[in-house]
Amino acid sequence: MFRHGRGGEGSYGARYTGRVNRRAASQSTSDYPGKKYGFPQSGRGSVAPVIRRLVALFIDWGVAFGLSVLFFNNNEWVTLGLYTLQVLVMLPLFGYTLGYLICGILLMSTSGKKVNVVRVLVRHVLFCLIIPPLIYDPDRRGLHDLAAGAVVVRR
């Protein structure tokens, strides 16, 4: 299971950052998502594929929608509020939501540290505008990730 205690305060620990930086030097010279940040080309710590991120989104939204249907008569604002609460609490604390956990992905900063609640809030507000997540760079980071200095990697 994932532990925060290794690698110092605010860090995801040697499990991700140490491995990422050591392995980057041994990678081939071809470009791949996350290379400029020192992430490996594949496996644990590599930049997560877009499909995993989409599946995680549908799982997280489904949880919020299900709770809204069960307890709040399917109120769309409650659904959005529950989804937002889930993101703003779980991502800064654990680095993942239920959907991220199921899909085997993790949110972290480009330096391998935890993303604080302010960065998660900025990322989430931009995400809710719809357009920023649709525009992304070769590192598979949407505009919302770029603004927050975040990247989604495989666990």
Side-chain angles (χ1 to χ4, degrees), residues 32 39 50 61 71 75 89 91 98 110 116 120 146:
Y32 59 87
F39 294 107
V50 174
W61 190 264
F71 300 110
N75 183 316
V89 170
L91 286 178
L98 180 61
T110 54
N116 65 32
V120 171
L146 291 170

Side-chain angles (χ1 to χ4, degrees), residues 48-103:
V50 174
I51 191 69
R52 284 190 188 208
R53 296 177 67 165
L54 286 173
V55 171
L57 168 65
F58 284 117
I59 291 170
D60 291 336
W61 190 264
V63 168
F65 179 74
L67 291 172
S68 176
V69 167
L70 285 173
F71 300 110
F72 300 99
N73 199 23
N74 193 18
N75 183 316
E76 61 271 0
W77 291 107
V78 171
T79 303
L80 179 60
L82 290 171
Y83 175 73
T84 298
L85 182 66
Q86 180 180 193
V87 166
L88 293 179
V89 170
M90 294 186 73
L91 286 178
L93 286 177
F94 306 114
Y96 54 82
T97 60
L98 180 61
Y100 277 40
L101 182 64
I102 291 169
C103 292

Side-chain angles (χ1 to χ4, degrees), residues 9 12 16 19 24 27 68 85 98 102 120 126 134 142 147 155:
E9 181 65 35
Y12 282 126
Y16 292 100
R19 172 181 245 178
Q27 298 294 338
S68 176
L85 182 66
L98 180 61
I102 291 169
V120 171
L126 290 173
L134 298 177
R155 286 178 45 90

